[in-house]
């Protein structure tokens, strides 16, 4: 019996860990201002990538017959990482239950999504494709690399990146389930109970399986295999990082209490607009925070906010990042990072860490990306000016040593997939679009409220 | 005496109209002097076929004629093995789709049937021998079909049936041969999304494995063990995990195929990718999975170039006529501006716009060509090809197949897709797919090669039973395809899908000689009515243009509507604004 379980787990992991051959490239970037994040800024320096990995950083590197980019007068930085986005996936919300830990947006990747290319055009090389915030426990998320041009959805996944899951506090789950369906959670207390119930049941589930596995061929019928409980159990085992949509300080502390009760430690709070009120508590717990630069007041629970949030959190030793949560903001995260210099006087390196190494830490991929170091992935963004300058324009974006965006090869129609049945129209649709958003796909739930 | 004549006349009508219902006197049929295409890849020869007791007794150029055989003069008609549809809804009534939210206690935990999970269902219980799809497909030469139930993510088990139009037990070749699966989500209950479907598959499959394991253990030694109690869905999946039952999984687009392959890789079931329309970019993974492929015959419509060109020219002249009027209007309101300075940037913009829409059209054309070329591409990579017929109407089968052949699919490969490959997918190659003695007596006789545009199917023999079809002479007057003009008079409600809004109203058609007059209203301008008289009617396609009264702007809407019973669909072309989808339905259908 154990064999079957092992086989199942093995085939599952094998399927996720060994995707098709990922394209890796060789490239030499010459003579740029190299912003390493972890080892200062190096003027007039070169970066050599071979087989998708950074091999050398220094002066006067010369290699015969390699694709060479002249970055004279330009700025070379690690590819930007967005710890919260919804681009490149066909489904954001499975809004049918307050706990849908069983679903997995990695199953819904759309390699043709033009938003991936647009993100590349903003220097972003990796993003955290997240489930939406309709449910207290949403789905499992996927860390994707922006290998735009690849055709197999599996090739977008950053193989080996830790598993992550979306949690959501406050108004969104209350609205979808409480208001929309008249079920728990209708209040913040209800949201808390969804977590407690999920973890408590998962403990029972684990115990039940442990009892069964002592004698799998014995008298007992095997317990029901439950995808939700499997995922909740994996959170308890520390195998999944929680990324929690949150705004208010009280509910942030509430979740920390819940996690403490169940011995869960890996948590990154998303949005966390009132994070500045509980920064020391977050730091003490070891929780990190991924925030907007200056986006607030779009609903009641987001009124108490400040653009100093990122700076206050940083000064209190909370690992902080700035995210987009939007197919539009993701194109200029470097502007968003620069705002922390106006509001909070962060240094250049501190500001850039918010969109490079820190999000990488939050996603558990900082050993591979987020800074320019030998041995790390060749994910690089090249800017015309210092990336924190309002005049900076992204020039070239490289993923695994492969040039995926070049401003000189940027034609009008970069689509990878053309629908042979769509009507051709040059008519621009300016109506509201909910694409690439947190509450995508939920409209239907609000129409029918009998 | 009169009565006898009536009786004879009545009998005659019966034989012509519903020949299959009249039992044949003899059990031997001799198809004399036909062009034999006994199987793909073999050269056609002149010969004859003898069918005895529903089985092919002999094929060739020297076949003995038994004295009591019914002889059908082949007159060099082309004979093929009866066609096989390896996946279809043939023989099933299409259920009405309901828009109502299902009433369940908790939308995250709906009962299986509400969620679309009914693997225990068998198509045997849904089969209707009088269903019109049986006759429609038979008319196009189909003799055997694998039919699967309608439903959600896991609708149930399919059967292979003969299209002889008889009761299930006489029609069935193989009961519950397959499991059917789709990416169709449930409405407002789990799984409402494709990620829900993926998760549900994993959970159902895993539970079936556990349950199966326990059932086996119980079987080998039931003492001291709890009696296994799998539910209907779980035990229905046992045959799938024992690999006794392949999963026919509908996967139309590239991403559907990728997701289906992902599930198959994790769970390891026998897979037939079905209804594929866009699979050529994921062939390596498809090959690695050992999955069979059934392509959809539902091809995107070709761009009608000639017609469009004509329209554009027409528009240009209209614009030219309109220009002077505009200029005078300008001259009245303003001091006449220097013409060049104003016109140039506008012209430049127009030119850019034209260039853009030209590029978009080119890409669309390429995409259509790629879709039409799927079968060809798969064959060039040595992937066997057959078709599925879930979304294809019987009458479109040969038209679309010919389009693929014109595009470069070899006739042998096309015929194989209809016969041998289809039989192979269903595991019935021993008894069907070729004209060889010992196989089921299923034969198609066509006036010309089936890949010829003029070909008409005259006889379809199923299980030795002859179905004869009248070949209509082309009518000169009506549409290109020789279709009867349809009666569209009456009031119709239409909806135009414009991004960000929908426009709706009514069209009232009244007969005017051979053509129609139409009166249009629109809900946004309730007081205005537009009339167009003497519209173009071509078979079931109506085309007409009109300019709605929109604040002095000169906009022309070119409508092209295809009528089908009580509904129509089509396009409205609004010049530079693009072209939009229009649908409509009759207000008081009979």
């Amino acid at each position: 019996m154990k064999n079957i379980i092992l086989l199942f787990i093995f085939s599952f992991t094998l399927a996720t860990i060994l995707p098709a051959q990922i394209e890796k490239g060789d490239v030499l970037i010459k003579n740029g201002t190299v912003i390493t994040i972890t080892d200062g800024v190096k003027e007039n320096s070169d970066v050599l990538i071979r087989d998708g990995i950074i091999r050398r950083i220094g002066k006067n590197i010369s290699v015969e017959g390699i694709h060479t980019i002249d970055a004279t007068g330009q700025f070379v930085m690690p590819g930007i990482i967005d710890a919260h986005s919804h681009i490149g996936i066909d489904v954001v919300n499975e809004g049918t239950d307050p706990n849908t830990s069983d679903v997995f947006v990695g199953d819904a990747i759309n390699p043709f999504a033009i938003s991936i290319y647009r993100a590349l055009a903003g220097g972003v090389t990796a993003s955290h494709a997240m489930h939406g915030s309709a449910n207290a426990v949403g789905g499992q998320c996927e860390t994707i690399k922006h290998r735009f041009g690849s055709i197999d959805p599996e090739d977008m996944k950053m193989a080996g990146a830790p598993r992550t899951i979306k949690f959501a506090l406050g108004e969104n789950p209350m609205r979808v389930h409480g208001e929309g369906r008249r079920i728990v959670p209708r209040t913040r207390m209800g949201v808390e109970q969804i977590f407690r119930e999920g973890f408590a049941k998962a403990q029972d589930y684990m115990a039940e399986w442990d009892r069964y596995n002592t004698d799998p061929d014995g008298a007992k019928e095997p317990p029901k295999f439950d995808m939700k409980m499997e995922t909740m159990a994996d959170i308890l085992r520390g195998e999944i990082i929680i990324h929690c949509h949150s705004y208010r300080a009280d509910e942030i502390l509430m979740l920390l209490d819940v996690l403490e009760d169940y011995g869960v430690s890996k948590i990154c709070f998303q949005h966390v607009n009132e994070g500045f009120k509980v920064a020391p508590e977050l730091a003490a717990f070891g929780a990190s925070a991924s925030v907007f630069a200056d986006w607030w007041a779009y609903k009641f629970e987001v009124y108490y906010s400040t653009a100093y949030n990122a700076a206050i959190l940083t000064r209190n030793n909370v690992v902080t990042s700035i995210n987009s949560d939007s197919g539009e903001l993701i194109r200029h995260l470097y502007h968003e990072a620069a705002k922390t210099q106006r509001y909070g006087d962060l240094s250049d390196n501190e500001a850039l860490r918010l969109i490079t190494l820190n999000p990488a830490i939050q996603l558990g991929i900082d050993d591979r990306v987020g800074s320019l170091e030998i041995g790390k992935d060749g994910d690089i963004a090249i800017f015309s000016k210092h990336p924190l300058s309002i005049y900076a324009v992204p020039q070239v974006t490289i993923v695994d040593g492969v040039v995926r965006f070049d401003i000189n090869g940027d034609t009008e129609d970069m689509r990878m997939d053309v629908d042979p049945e769509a009507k051709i129209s040059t008519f621009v649709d300016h109506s509201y679009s909910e694409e690439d958003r947190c509450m995508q796909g939920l409209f239907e739930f609000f129409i029918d409220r009998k | 005496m009169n009565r006898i004549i009536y009786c004879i006349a009545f009998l005659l009508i019966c034989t012509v109209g519903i020949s299959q219902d009249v039992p044949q006197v003899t059990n031997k049929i001799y198809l004399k002097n036909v062009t034999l295409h006994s199987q793909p890849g073999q050269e056609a020869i002149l010969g004859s076929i003898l069918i005895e007791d529903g089985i092919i007794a002999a094929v060739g150029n020297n076949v003995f004629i038994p004295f009591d055989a019914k002889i059908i003069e082949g007159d060099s008609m082309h004979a093929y093995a009866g066609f096989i549809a390896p996946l279809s809804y043939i023989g099933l009534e299409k259920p009405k789709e309901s828009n109502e939210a299902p009433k369940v206690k908790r939308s995250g935990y709906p009962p299986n049937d509400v969620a679309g999970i009914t693997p225990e269902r068998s198509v045997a219980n849904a089969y209707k021998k009088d269903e019109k799809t049986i006759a429609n497909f038979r008319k196009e030469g189909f003799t055997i079909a694998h039919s699967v139930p309608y439903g959600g993510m896991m609708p149930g088990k399919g059967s292979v049936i003969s299209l002889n139009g008889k009761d299930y037990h006489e029609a069935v070749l193989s009961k519950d041969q397959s499991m059917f699966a789709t990416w169709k989500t449930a409405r407002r209950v789990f799984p409402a999304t494709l990620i829900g479907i993926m998760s549900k598959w994993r959970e159902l499959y895993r539970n079936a494995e556990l349950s199966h394991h326990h059932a086996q253990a119980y079987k080998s030694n039931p003492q001291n063990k709890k009696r296994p109690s799998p539910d209907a869905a779980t035990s229905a999946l046992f045959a799938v995990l024992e690999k006794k039952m392949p999963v026919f999984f509908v996967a139309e687009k590239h991403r559907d195929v990728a997701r289906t392959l992902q599930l198959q890789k994790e769970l390891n079931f026998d897979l037939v990718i079905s209804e594929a329309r866009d699979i050529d970019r994921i062939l390596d993974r498809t090959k690695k999975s050992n999955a069979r492929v059934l392509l959809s015959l539902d091809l995107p419509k070709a761009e009608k170039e000639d017609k469009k060109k004509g329209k554009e020219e027409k528009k240009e002249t209209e614009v030219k006529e309109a220009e002077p009027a505009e200029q005078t209007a300008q001259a009245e309101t303003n001091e006449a501006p220097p013409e060049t300075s104003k016109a140039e940037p506008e012209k430049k913009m127009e030119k850019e716009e034209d260039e853009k829409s030209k590029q978009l059209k080119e890409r669309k054309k390429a995409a259509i060509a790629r879709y039409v070329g799927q079968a060809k591409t798969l064959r060039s990579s040595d992937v066997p090809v057959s078709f599925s017929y879930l979304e294809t109407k019987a009458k479109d089968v040969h038209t679309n197949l010919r389009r693929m052949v014109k595009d470069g699919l070899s006739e042998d490969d096309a015929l194989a897709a209809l016969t041998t490959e289809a039989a192979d997918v269903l595991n019935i190659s021993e008894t069907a797919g070729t004209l060889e003695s010992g196989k089921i007596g299923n034969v198609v006789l066509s006036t010309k090669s089936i890949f010829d545009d003029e070909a008409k199917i005259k006889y379809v023999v199923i299980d030795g039973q002859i179905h004869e079809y009248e070949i209509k002479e082309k009518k000169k007057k009506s549409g290109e395809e020789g279709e009867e003009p349809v009666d569209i008079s009456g009031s119709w409600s239409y909806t135009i899908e414009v991004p960000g809004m929908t426009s709706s109203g009514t069209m009232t058609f009244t007969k005017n000689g051979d053509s129609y007059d139409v009166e249009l209203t629109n809900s946004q301008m309730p007081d205005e009515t537009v009339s167009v008289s003497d519209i173009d009617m071509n078979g079931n396609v109506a085309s007409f243009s009109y300019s709605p009264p929109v604040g002095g702007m000169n906009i022309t809407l070119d409508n092209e509507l295809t009528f089908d019973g009580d509904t129509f669909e089509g396009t409205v072309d609004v010049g530079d604004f693009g072209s939009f989808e229009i649908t409509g339905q009759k207000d008081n259908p009979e």
Side-chain angles (χ1 to χ4, degrees):
Chain A
M1 184 60 217
K2 269 218 170 106
N3 281 348
I4 298 187
I5 297 174
L6 278 176
L7 199 75
F8 184 78
I9 292 168
F10 184 67
S11 64
F12 192 86
T13 1
L14 199 72
T16 28
I17 284 180
L18 292 175
Q21 197 60 45
I22 303 288
E23 192 187 346
K24 305 233 160 112
D26 303 327
V27 64
L28 175 60
I29 301 158
K30 291 287 293 177
N31 218 20
T33 303
V34 177
I35 305 169
T36 64
I37 303 294
T38 42
D39 189 23
V41 178
K42 301 177 188 301
E43 305 282 342
N44 300 323
S45 292
D46 310 337
V47 179
L48 173 69
I49 301 169
R50 273 218 183 270
D51 200 24
I53 302 288
I54 299 173
R55 306 291 177 184
R56 286 174 70 189
I57 300 170
K59 289 191 196 293
N60 301 320
I61 301 172
S62 76
V63 179
E64 292 284 307
I66 189 170
H67 175 52
T68 305
I69 296 169
D70 179 13
T72 308
Q74 299 185 331
F75 290 76
V76 181
M77 70 173 282
I80 295 169
I81 297 164
D82 187 352
H84 187 137
S85 88
H86 304 285
I87 66 165
I89 43 179
D90 284 333
V91 181
V92 176
N93 281 296
E94 168 68 52
T96 48
D97 196 63
N99 180 345
T100 52
S101 58
D102 48 337
V103 300
F104 186 36
V105 298
D107 286 334
I109 288 177
N110 175 7
F112 303 137
I114 200 71
S115 42
I116 298 176
Y117 180 74
R118 289 176 181 151
L120 280 167
V124 184
T125 53
S127 62
H128 187 209
M130 298 185 81
H131 192 280
S133 52
N135 313 334
V137 181
Q140 297 177 68
C141 313
E142 185 73 48
T143 302
I144 59 171
K145 279 227 190 179
H146 295 166
R147 299 178 179 116
F148 189 78
S150 304
I151 286 169
D152 192 330
E154 296 303 307
D155 290 355
M156 288 289 149
K157 295 180 178 172
M158 182 171 181
R163 290 165 69 190
T164 58
I165 191 166
K166 174 76 170 269
F167 277 23
L169 306 174
E171 287 176 18
N172 286 4
M174 282 155 56
R175 193 148 50 105
V176 173
H177 300 284
E179 269 182 68
R181 281 213 197 83
R182 316 264 174 220
I183 57 171
V184 179
R186 205 182 296 189
T187 62
R188 289 170 205 276
M189 299 180 290
V191 175
E192 176 177 356
Q193 286 318 306
I194 299 293
F195 303 127
R196 290 195 179 273
E197 188 192 6
F199 286 134
K201 278 188 173 171
Q203 285 176 334
D204 291 348
Y205 180 80
M206 288 157 85
E208 200 181 352
W209 271 100
D210 286 345
R211 273 197 300 277
Y212 172 75
N213 281 333
T214 53
D215 183 16
D217 289 316
K220 282 200 200 78
E221 215 179 2
K224 276 256 173 295
F225 177 81
D226 187 319
M227 285 290 285
K228 266 181 207 182
M229 289 302 113
E230 287 287 322
T231 312
M232 296 309 286
D234 285 345
I235 298 173
L236 293 176
R237 292 185 190 108
E239 287 167 16
I240 303 179
I241 306 170
I242 299 168
H243 281 254
C244 186
H245 164 108
S246 59
Y247 295 108
R248 280 180 25 177
D250 53 353
E251 58 185 7
I252 290 164
L253 294 180
M254 172 275 282
L255 187 63
L256 290 181
D257 283 347
V258 172
L259 298 184
E260 206 167 349
D261 288 351
Y262 288 94
V264 177
S265 60
K266 292 179 182 171
I267 171 92
C268 171
F269 283 93
Q270 292 283 343
H271 310 323
V272 51
N273 282 46
E274 293 187 13
F276 64 94
K277 295 185 184 173
V278 288
E281 288 83 355
L282 288 172
F285 191 90
S288 60
S290 183
V291 305
F292 294 130
D294 55 357
W295 196 11
W296 65 69
Y298 40 89
K299 57 181 155 177
F300 192 71
E301 64 185 350
V302 206
Y303 269 62
Y304 202 151
S305 299
T306 168
Y308 288 89
N309 202 18
I312 295 171
L313 287 161
T314 302
R315 291 283 172 263
N316 281 278
N317 299 319
V318 177
V319 174
T320 304
S321 69
I322 284 184
N323 68 56
S324 77
D325 192 13
S326 138
E328 192 283 319
L329 271 185
I330 197 171
R331 303 182 301 165
H332 50 93
L333 276 171
Y334 47 101
H335 288 160
E336 300 303 294
K339 287 173 183 172
T340 60
Q341 301 197 295
R342 169 67 182 79
Y343 302 103
D345 283 331
L346 291 192
S347 71
D348 283 1
N349 208 59
E350 282 172 326
L352 287 174
R353 266 184 82 113
L354 298 173
I355 52 170
T356 53
L357 193 59
N358 287 2
I361 294 169
Q362 293 169 344
L363 297 175
I365 51 174
D366 50 307
D367 55 333
R368 291 167 55 189
V369 290
S371 61
L372 297 184
E373 290 175 62
I374 288 162
K376 279 197 169 183
D377 292 1
D379 295 2
I380 284 178
I382 304 177
F383 285 80
S384 60
K385 298 262 179 345
H386 191 283
L388 295 171
S389 156
I390 197 70
Y391 299 108
V393 176
Q395 302 295 308
V396 173
T397 308
I398 298 167
V399 182
D400 300 317
V402 180
V403 174
R404 297 286 181 185
F405 166 77
D406 185 339
I407 199 165
N408 295 317
D410 178 45
T411 62
E412 287 217 1
D413 187 355
M414 294 300 294
R415 287 176 303 165
M416 290 277 298
D417 193 39
V418 178
D419 184 346
E421 274 151 343
K423 302 280 176 253
I424 290 173
S425 171
T426 45
F427 180 84
V428 181
D429 177 12
H430 285 296
S431 63
Y432 171 75
S433 160
E434 58 157 18
E435 242 176 76
D436 303 333
R437 303 290 285 271
C438 228
M439 294 287 275
Q440 189 174 319
L442 289 169
F443 183 62
E444 189 173 42
F445 292 120
F446 299 112
I447 312 170
D448 184 353
R449 301 233 317 247
K450 276 171 216 161
Chain B
M1 188 59 212
N2 261 352
R3 229 180 251 176
I4 297 175
I5 294 174
Y6 278 137
C7 277
I8 293 171
F10 182 70
L11 273 178
L12 276 176
I13 292 168
C14 282
T15 20
V16 176
I18 37 170
S19 58
Q20 65 267 33
D21 287 344
V22 179
Q24 275 163 209
V25 182
T26 170
N27 61 348
K28 300 191 183 77
I29 296 161
Y30 194 84
L31 307 173
K32 194 174 169 189
N33 289 338
V34 294
T35 310
L36 283 170
H37 297 267
S38 32
Q39 54 184 295
Q42 232 168 60
E43 215 169 309
I45 55 160
L46 211 62
S48 301
I49 305 167
L50 175 66
I51 299 170
E52 224 178 299
D53 288 330
I55 306 290
I56 298 177
V59 188
N61 49 17
N62 206 359
V63 178
F64 167 75
I65 312 180
F67 74 94
D68 58 345
K70 179 182 168 65
I71 296 175
I72 289 180
E73 294 294 339
D75 291 334
S76 312
M77 272 198 279
H78 291 250
Y80 303 90
F83 304 148
I84 299 163
L87 186 65
S88 74
Y89 295 124
I90 296 172
L92 309 178
E93 204 175 335
K94 189 174 183 174
K96 290 210 169 65
E97 304 238 341
S98 152
N99 276 337
E100 271 182 37
K103 289 201 167 56
V104 297
K105 245 186 179 167
R106 294 173 70 194
S107 55
Y109 300 86
N112 271 350
D113 58 332
V114 177
I117 301 160
T118 51
E120 70 279 11
R121 278 189 194 159
S122 168
V123 87
N125 303 322
Y127 169 83
K128 286 203 168 90
K129 65 174 178 177
D130 300 326
E131 226 289 317
K132 60 182 190 292
T133 43
I134 296 180
N136 289 349
F137 272 87
R138 185 166 54 212
K139 191 164 173 255
E140 305 301 333
F142 286 87
T143 56
I144 291 173
H146 170 223
S147 288
V148 288
Y150 283 99
M153 66 171 271
M154 219 183 259
K157 291 175 278 198
S159 294
V160 181
I161 51 169
S162 164
L163 300 188
N164 57 17
K166 295 185 178 166
D167 284 332
Y168 181 79
H169 70 96
E170 280 185 273
V172 66
L173 270 72
S174 163
K175 194 192 175 196
D176 296 346
Q177 155 144 355
S178 68
M179 188 58 71
F180 183 46
T182 79
W183 286 104
K184 206 169 151 200
T185 58
R187 277 186 67 85
R188 302 189 201 189
V189 299
F190 188 83
T193 60
L194 73 93
I195 55 178
I197 290 182
M198 290 285 265
S199 162
K200 199 71 207 180
W201 256 97
R202 292 176 181 127
E203 192 174 275
L204 286 167
Y205 210 85
R206 178 77 187 109
N207 276 318
E209 279 177 333
L210 289 165
S211 204
H212 186 258
H213 175 81
H214 183 67
Q216 295 298 109
Y218 184 82
K219 219 170 159 186
S220 62
N221 176 16
Q223 259 187 351
N224 257 328
K225 285 203 180 77
K226 188 163 186 274
R227 196 167 65 244
S229 55
D231 62 15
T234 306
S235 45
L237 284 172
F238 285 180
V240 174
L241 46 101
E242 284 168 0
K243 295 204 169 195
K244 287 178 183 155
M245 204 184 255
V247 180
F248 283 66
F249 213 128
V250 172
E252 292 189 15
K253 295 289 184 91
H254 176 82
R255 271 122 71 198
D256 302 328
V257 176
R259 285 159 195 156
T260 307
L261 288 173
Q262 189 61 27
L263 272 184
Q264 193 264 353
K265 190 172 165 186
E266 290 172 21
L267 308 179
N268 192 22
F269 47 79
D270 281 345
L271 172 65
V272 183
I273 296 172
S274 304
E275 208 63 14
R277 305 181 73 202
D278 174 15
I279 191 175
D280 58 341
R281 293 177 291 184
I282 192 158
L283 281 186
D284 283 347
R285 268 182 78 185
T286 305
K287 278 181 165 179
K288 238 179 256 169
S289 73
N290 285 324
R292 293 293 309 246
V293 179
L294 300 179
L295 294 176
S296 169
L297 260 180
D298 186 20
L299 300 177
K301 280 185 195 142
E303 293 275 86
K304 290 174 204 158
E305 294 202 36
D306 294 334
K307 222 171 176 180
K308 279 263 156 78
K309 261 182 204 161
K311 271 186 192 167
E312 264 159 34
E313 274 161 30
K314 205 168 118 200
K315 235 179 274 160
E316 264 174 21
T317 52
E318 273 169 23
V319 171
K320 265 174 206 156
E321 277 161 24
E323 257 169 6
E326 241 172 61
Q327 278 168 10
T328 37
Q330 255 175 15
E332 275 168 16
T333 47
N334 300 321
E335 291 299 306
E339 266 179 42
T340 44
S341 67
K342 173 117 192 160
E344 291 260 303
E346 264 177 30
K347 264 190 193 153
K348 202 183 156 201
M349 247 173 74
E350 250 171 50
K351 213 179 151 189
E352 273 173 17
E353 209 58 29
D354 277 357
E355 196 53 40
K356 257 185 215 169
S357 69
K358 208 177 115 191
Q359 282 167 7
L360 290 172
K361 275 181 191 154
E362 282 303 313
R363 291 211 65 189
K364 184 174 170 180
K365 233 173 101 181
I368 293 171
R370 193 169 66 76
Y371 274 53
V372 175
Q374 294 285 310
K376 180 179 66 179
T377 312
L378 262 63
R379 287 306 297 127
S380 67
S381 313
D382 264 337
V383 178
V385 165
S386 188
F387 299 110
S388 54
Y389 301 85
L390 299 176
E391 300 294 331
T392 314
K393 285 187 181 142
K395 65 180 171 61
D396 296 330
V397 167
H398 290 292
T399 323
N400 289 349
L401 192 58
R402 283 171 202 147
R403 240 177 109 190
M404 290 182 179
V405 169
K406 275 176 199 149
D407 178 64
L409 177 67
S410 79
E411 290 191 1
D412 277 338
D413 285 340
L415 181 60
L418 290 176
T419 57
T420 46
E421 290 299 348
D424 191 44
V425 171
L426 300 180
N427 260 326
I428 51 170
S429 298
E430 276 190 355
T431 50
T434 62
L435 293 176
E436 288 173 292
S437 62
K439 293 205 170 178
I440 301 173
N442 290 350
V443 184
V444 181
L445 286 186
S446 167
T447 55
K448 294 194 167 157
S449 155
I450 51 163
F451 303 112
D452 188 315
D453 286 339
E454 308 271 292
K456 297 272 185 256
I457 287 168
K458 173 77 180 160
Y459 293 101
V460 178
V461 183
I462 302 183
D463 295 337
Q465 187 89 25
I466 303 165
H467 303 264
E468 182 177 357
Y469 297 98
E470 227 180 309
I471 292 169
K472 279 181 210 154
E473 287 304 311
K474 260 197 177 177
K475 284 187 186 166
K476 292 246 165 76
K477 183 86 190 166
S478 61
E480 298 158 44
E481 308 282 322
E483 283 175 57
E484 296 264 353
V486 291
D487 186 11
I488 60 167
S489 45
S491 173
W492 301 70
S493 302
Y494 69 87
T495 317
I496 306 175
E497 294 291 335
V498 183
M501 63 176 281
T502 53
S503 169
S504 61
T506 59
M507 291 181 184
T508 312
F509 293 92
T510 40
K511 199 127 183 115
N512 175 3
D514 279 342
S515 179
Y516 292 87
D517 295 342
V518 60
E519 248 184 34
L520 294 110
T521 64
N522 190 295
S523 58
Q524 282 161 335
M525 286 172 285
D527 302 330
E528 305 276 356
T529 312
V530 185
S531 314
V532 188
S533 57
D534 201 16
I535 62 171
D536 278 347
M537 200 64 201
N538 197 347
N540 60 341
V541 182
S543 358
F544 57 92
S545 304
Y546 65 95
S547 302
V550 221
M553 273 164 78
N554 194 344
I555 291 178
T556 307
L557 276 65
D558 292 324
N559 290 260
E560 189 175 293
L561 315 176
T562 307
F563 288 81
D564 184 9
D566 291 327
T567 60
F568 67 76
E569 52 184 38
T571 52
V572 181
D573 204 326
V574 199
D576 290 341
F577 292 104
S579 129
F580 307 104
E581 258 173 73
I582 179 168
T583 53
Q585 58 187 28
K586 200 156 192 182
D587 289 337
N588 297 305
E590 284 132 35

